[in-house]
């Protein structure tokens, strides 16, 4: 399976995630406990991965599965990082409004590139760094509203704590992705075995959150197992299926591609969601959205296009000049 097919599918599923979540509301409110959705999504991912691992074990050649406790003990860490990230998100929203938070969230595009270089040792060319910055600029441009609106003024009027927490949130989000890629590529273990470990701990952490919510609410709505399917509709189940399938695709990309591909997929998904919203929710198109799409498409081309497509070559060159150009392109690719 080619990575660009998986990335395209991830873009479509991610873009439909917000739309399905909105459609699952009734009169602007959730009739179900939204905390049960990620829990059921983790259970779905664990069940699918376990089934695929079982089928893989039926083959004549058994898949590689590392069971040393030192290796297994690394798998709860992504869940812990995401848990801290979620709390930082809530803390950030106490200092900034939703629009400002959305715009600051685009910092994770740049922080992913930085951590990608620092922790995984992956080298990026100057053109690729420019493309990553352009992607962040493009997604931010598409989210900025008219400067006559209050949201534009609030972007630079939040307390310093809000900006610091926003940067921390972006770093944690990038760190979780980079660490997951490190885990998936650390050895040649079966992807499904690695997923089983990841989603086992993910299920445990989400279950712990449901139990904690019960104690915080004084069991006002009953224990979690009594309300887990309460208020669920077909659309709600589609949200669970979508969230679970998205997670499985991300783990495949972490194993066979990298975080930058995932970042591009999710960024393009955000733009696709805005376009689809024009038809579903009477979302009004803006100049900023149009410019943001153009910038993101330029970034996509700059990052993934071969170097010879990005450099102007003379139509006719002498053999010595041709050899010099090839060396120049090779050096620029490696830089």
């Amino acid at each position: 399976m080619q990575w660009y097919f998986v990335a395209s599918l991830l873009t479509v599923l991610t873009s439909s995630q917000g739309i399905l979540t909105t459609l699952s509301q009734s009169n602007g409110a959730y009739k179900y406990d939204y905390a049960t959705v990620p829990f059921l999504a983790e259970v779905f991912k664990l069940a699918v991965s376990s089934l695929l691992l079982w089928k893989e074990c039926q083959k004549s050649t058994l898949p590689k599965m590392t069971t040393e406790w030192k290796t297994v003990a690394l798998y709860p860490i992504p869940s812990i990082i995401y848990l801290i990230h979620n709390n930082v998100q809530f803390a950030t929203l106490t200092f900034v409004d939703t629009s400002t938070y959305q715009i600051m969230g685009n910092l994770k595009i740049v922080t992913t590139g930085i951590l990608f270089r620092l922790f995984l040792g992956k080298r990026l060319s100057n053109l690729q760094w420019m493309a990553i910055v352009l992607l962040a600029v493009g997604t931010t441009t598409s989210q900025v509203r008219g400067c006559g609106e209050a949201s534009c003024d609030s972007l630079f009027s939040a307390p310093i704590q809000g900006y610091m927490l926003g940067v921390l949130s972006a770093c944690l989000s990038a760190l979780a992705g980079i660490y997951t890629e490190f885990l998936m590529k650390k050895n040649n273990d079966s992807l499904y075995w690695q997923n089983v470990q990841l989603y086992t701990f993910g299920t445990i952490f989400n279950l712990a959150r449901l139990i904690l919510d019960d104690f915080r609410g004084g069991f006002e709505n009953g224990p979690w197992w009594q309300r887990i399917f309460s208020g669920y509709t077909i659309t709600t189940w589609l949200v669970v299926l979508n969230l679970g399938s998205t997670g499985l695709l991300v783990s495949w990309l972490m194993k066979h591609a990298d975080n930058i591909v995932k970042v591009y997929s999710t960024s393009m998904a955000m733009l696709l969601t805005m376009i689809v919203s024009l038809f579903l929710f009477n979302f009004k198109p803006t100049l900023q959205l149009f410019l943001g799409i153009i910038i993101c498409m330029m970034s996509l081309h700059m990052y993934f296009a071969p170097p010879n497509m990005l450099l102007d070559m003379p139509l006719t060159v002498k053999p010595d000049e041709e050899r010099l150009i090839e060396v120049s392109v090779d050096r620029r690719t490696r830089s």
Side-chain angles (χ1 to χ4, degrees):
M1 192 183 299
Q2 299 292 334
W3 68 263
Y4 47 81
F5 172 77
V6 177
S8 300
L9 185 57
L10 177 61
T11 298
V12 174
L13 287 179
T14 305
S15 66
S16 61
Q17 201 171 95
I19 295 171
L20 287 173
T21 303
T22 302
L23 293 175
S24 71
Q25 296 177 350
S26 178
N27 297 323
Y30 297 111
K31 298 299 182 182
Y32 57 92
D33 184 356
Y34 190 72
T36 61
V37 171
F39 170 71
L40 290 175
E42 290 295 318
V43 172
F44 170 77
K45 290 186 286 185
L46 179 59
V48 171
S49 299
S50 300
L51 177 62
L52 293 174
L53 179 63
W54 176 78
K55 290 185 67 176
E56 198 174 39
C57 290
Q58 302 306 307
K59 298 178 181 178
S60 56
T61 304
L62 290 177
K64 183 182 177 184
M65 295 185 289
T66 303
T67 56
E68 296 177 0
W69 70 269
K70 289 183 179 180
T71 300
V72 176
L74 298 175
Y75 282 83
I77 296 178
S79 297
I80 295 173
I81 296 175
Y82 279 121
L83 181 64
I84 298 172
H85 174 248
N86 291 337
N87 285 295
V88 171
Q89 280 183 312
F90 283 111
T92 305
L93 286 168
T94 61
F95 293 100
V96 302
D97 58 25
T98 307
S99 299
T100 304
Y101 176 77
Q102 261 189 331
I103 291 172
M104 286 198 304
N106 295 317
L107 285 172
K108 68 184 176 186
I109 297 173
V110 179
T111 54
T112 298
I114 295 172
L115 296 182
F116 188 72
R117 176 69 181 90
L118 292 178
F119 290 100
L120 298 181
K122 301 292 182 68
R123 301 196 60 152
L124 299 174
S125 68
N126 293 334
L127 282 174
Q128 288 176 323
W129 277 114
M130 290 171 61
I132 289 174
V133 173
L134 267 182
L135 181 64
V137 171
T139 52
T140 301
T141 301
S142 66
Q143 293 172 338
V144 174
R145 300 178 184 176
C147 282
E149 300 183 22
S151 60
C152 189
D153 298 330
S154 66
L155 180 61
F156 301 105
S157 60
I160 187 65
Q161 297 97 317
Y163 298 117
M164 292 176 65
L165 287 170
V167 172
L168 178 60
S169 176
C171 290
L172 287 171
S173 177
L175 180 61
I178 294 296
Y179 184 82
T180 302
E181 181 179 346
F182 163 75
L183 275 184
M184 304 304 275
K185 294 177 177 176
K186 183 175 182 292
N187 50 42
N188 294 322
D189 279 6
S190 163
L191 170 63
Y192 307 127
W193 167 239
Q194 292 176 317
N195 280 348
V196 165
Q197 296 174 86
L198 275 175
Y199 301 141
T200 296
F201 289 110
T203 301
I204 292 172
F205 276 94
N206 277 278
L207 177 60
R209 180 194 169 183
L210 289 175
I211 296 173
L212 184 61
D213 287 345
D214 283 345
F215 281 99
R216 283 177 175 174
F219 293 89
E220 183 179 353
N221 299 317
W224 65 271
W225 61 84
Q226 291 183 0
R227 68 176 191 276
I228 189 168
F229 302 124
S230 177
Y232 269 54
T233 62
I234 294 177
T235 309
T236 313
W237 282 110
L238 287 175
V239 173
V240 174
L241 184 63
N242 180 290
L243 193 61
S245 301
T246 300
L248 291 170
L249 291 176
V250 168
S251 69
W252 191 95
L253 285 177
M254 293 296 99
K255 183 76 170 179
H256 300 289
D258 55 49
N259 265 277
I260 305 298
V261 174
K262 188 200 80 170
V263 163
Y264 269 95
S265 295
T266 52
S267 298
M268 295 302 168
M270 181 188 63
L271 297 176
L272 182 59
T273 302
M274 291 182 180
I275 295 172
V276 174
S277 297
L278 297 176
F279 305 97
L280 292 181
F281 305 116
N282 296 321
F283 178 75
K284 294 182 179 180
T286 62
L287 177 62
Q288 291 91 330
L289 174 60
F290 179 70
L291 292 174
I293 292 174
I294 293 177
I295 295 172
C296 288
M297 295 308 295
M298 291 171 59
S299 168
L300 184 68
H301 178 69
M302 283 180 63
Y303 190 90
F304 292 104
N308 60 341
M309 290 183 62
L310 300 174
L311 296 174
D312 288 330
M313 298 270 190
L315 294 179
T316 57
V317 292
K318 298 178 181 178
D320 292 340
E321 293 176 350
E322 186 177 7
R323 193 177 301 110
L324 181 62
I325 290 172
E326 289 177 356
V327 172
S328 176
V329 172
D330 184 60
R331 285 179 178 175
R332 187 167 298 190
T333 304
R334 294 180 180 178
S335 63

